[in-house]
């Protein structure tokens, strides 16, 4: 697997606002991205299974979670945010692709800061917790969500719809309450059908579709024993796939991926059993179970750690037409990378559609200048 390094991720998402929407797997997507923006480390088992904690790796809990009663109902809420000097990442936990709560999130986008990247998935809860005959309801909600999302966000926003990952025949999870346990054996087939509907409709609306079901069909050994969630190695691969596609959409070359993977493998060698094992310690099989009470506190904005990387790995290379410009509030930071055409097509089976995006960085409008013209971020 070609992996993206901390330095590459930090530079690629420099002054970008990223929003992640979805269930507990999407929460882990958010967490791995936050981790990679700060250091090369992988998520631990405890970090993967935790939900609603007050702080994770310098982020903060904005709403819901342990600030409210913890439960596994469809009304569970959790909003998290990580903010550093040049990165903003937000996560919303959702149990339905379109609802009054989702409409409130879309209203936040309409009236507030517009995301540069939206990574979204909603499926397993939709097809299991609301209606026994879920197909028509799910299709209608998908249509409403894509219609409203495309009407609110600017065309430059990169929207990536993740297809749901493979489920096991025997599954456990917070969403699988006793009332719907009889649906468990059929859910893995329903997910395939739902993926077809959602992927086809997202593609029709001009959004990008990342087929995680296809990507992980032969990686089931990285799925945990609850049959639903995935380990840290799998989530780093998801992050790499997402960032590689964003780079291609924005015209950015991220070289030396193989060397980066070798470097990370060496750094995590002593912990390989923890990350490659399917088994979880006793009490960790359910990723959705409540956490013990934690002290109520919040971290402020955090800086970004910068671990040393192999000298032979150059920073990302930008195409000339995506050059950063001076934007609002005296922001005059200009990357010093050289610009060359980007003609590679190295993962054609990852996305169902791929659209070039003009450079769009609304986050920079809200950030004061902290660097002179000749200074660089690294």
């Amino acid at each position: 697997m070609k992996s993206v390094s901390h330095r590459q991720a930090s530079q690629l998402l420099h002054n970008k606002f990223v929003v992640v929407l979805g269930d507990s797997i999407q929460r882990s997507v958010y967490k791995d991205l936050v981790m990679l923006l700060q250091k090369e480390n992988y998520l631990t088992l405890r970090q993967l299974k935790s939900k609603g904690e007050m702080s994770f790796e310098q982020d903060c809990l904005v709403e819901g979670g342990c600030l409210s009663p913890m439960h596994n109902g469809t009304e569970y809420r959790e909003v998290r945010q990580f903010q550093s000097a040049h990165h903003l990442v937000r996560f919303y936990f959702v149990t339905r692709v379109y609802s009054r709560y989702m409409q409130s999130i879309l209203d936040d986008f309409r009236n507030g800061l517009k995301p540069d990247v939206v990574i979204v998935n909603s499926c397993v809860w939709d097809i299991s917790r609301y209606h026994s005959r879920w197909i028509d309801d799910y299709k209608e909600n998908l249509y409403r969500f894509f219609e409203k999302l495309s009407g609110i966000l600017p065309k430059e926003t990169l929207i990536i719809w993740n297809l749901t990952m493979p489920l096991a025949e025997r599954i456990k999870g917070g969403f699988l309450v006793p009332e719907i346990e009889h649906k468990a054996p059929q859910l893995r087939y329903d997910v395939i059908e739902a993926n077809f509907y959602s992927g086809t409709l997202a593609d029709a609306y001009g959004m990008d579709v990342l087929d995680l079901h296809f990507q992980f069909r032969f990686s089931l050994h990285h799925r945990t024993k609850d049959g639903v969630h995935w380990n840290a190695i799998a989530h780093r691969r998801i992050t790499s796939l997402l960032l590689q596609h964003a780079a291609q959409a924005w015209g950015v070359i991220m070289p030396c991926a193989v060397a980066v993977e070798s470097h990370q493998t060496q750094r995590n060698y002593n912990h390989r059993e923890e990350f490659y094992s399917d088994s979880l310690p006793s009490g960790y099989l359910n990723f959705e179970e409540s956490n013990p009470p934690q002290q109520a506190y919040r971290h402020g904005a955090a800086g970004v750690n910068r671990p040393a990387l192999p000298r032979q790995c150059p920073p990302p290379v930008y195409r000339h037409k995506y050059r950063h410009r001076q934007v609002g509030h005296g922001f005059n930071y200009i990357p010093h990378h050289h610009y060359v055409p980007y003609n590679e097509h190295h993962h054609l089976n990852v996305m169902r559609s791929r659209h070039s995006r003009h450079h769009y960085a609304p986050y920079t409008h809200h950030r004061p200048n902290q660097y002179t013209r000749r200074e660089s971020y690294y």
Side-chain angles (χ1 to χ4, degrees), residues 201-235:
L201 191 59
D203 184 62
Y205 273 92
M207 300 173 186
D208 296 288
V209 181
L210 174 56
D211 194 344
L212 295 179
H213 197 284
F214 173 84
Q215 288 292 324
F216 287 86
R217 70 198 188 284
F218 298 134
S219 302
L220 303 182
H221 53 289
H222 289 304
R223 189 171 57 196
T224 62
K225 284 194 173 182
D226 68 359
V228 179
H229 299 90
W230 298 73
N231 67 14
I233 296 295
H235 276 286

Side-chain angles (χ1 to χ4, degrees), residues 243-346:
L243 294 180
Q244 285 166 5
H245 176 69
Q248 190 168 23
W250 293 332
V252 178
I253 297 176
M254 293 193 297
C256 211
V258 175
V260 170
E261 170 66 9
S262 175
H263 176 64
Q264 291 185 176
T265 301
Q266 181 64 32
R267 291 192 60 170
N268 292 281
Y269 179 82
N270 294 331
H271 304 284
R272 65 184 184 278
E273 291 184 0
E274 175 183 1
F275 296 129
Y276 278 92
S277 174
D278 262 352
S279 61
L280 293 173
S282 175
Y284 284 74
L285 293 181
N286 186 352
F287 277 56
E288 291 293 339
E289 64 187 9
S290 299
N291 297 323
Q294 300 186 30
Q295 181 182 359
Y297 66 95
R298 294 188 182 183
H299 286 286
V304 179
N305 298 326
R306 304 176 181 84
L309 292 179
R311 293 181 178 272
Q312 66 269 25
C313 281
V317 179
Y318 291 75
R319 295 176 68 176
H320 64 283
K321 69 177 182 178
Y322 297 97
R323 182 187 298 271
H324 288 261
R325 296 171 294 176
Q326 296 184 24
V327 185
H329 293 291
F331 180 84
N332 58 7
Y333 169 69
I334 300 178
H336 56 275
H337 316 306
H338 66 283
Y339 299 85
V340 297
Y342 181 40
N343 299 315
E344 291 187 45
H345 301 280
H346 51 277

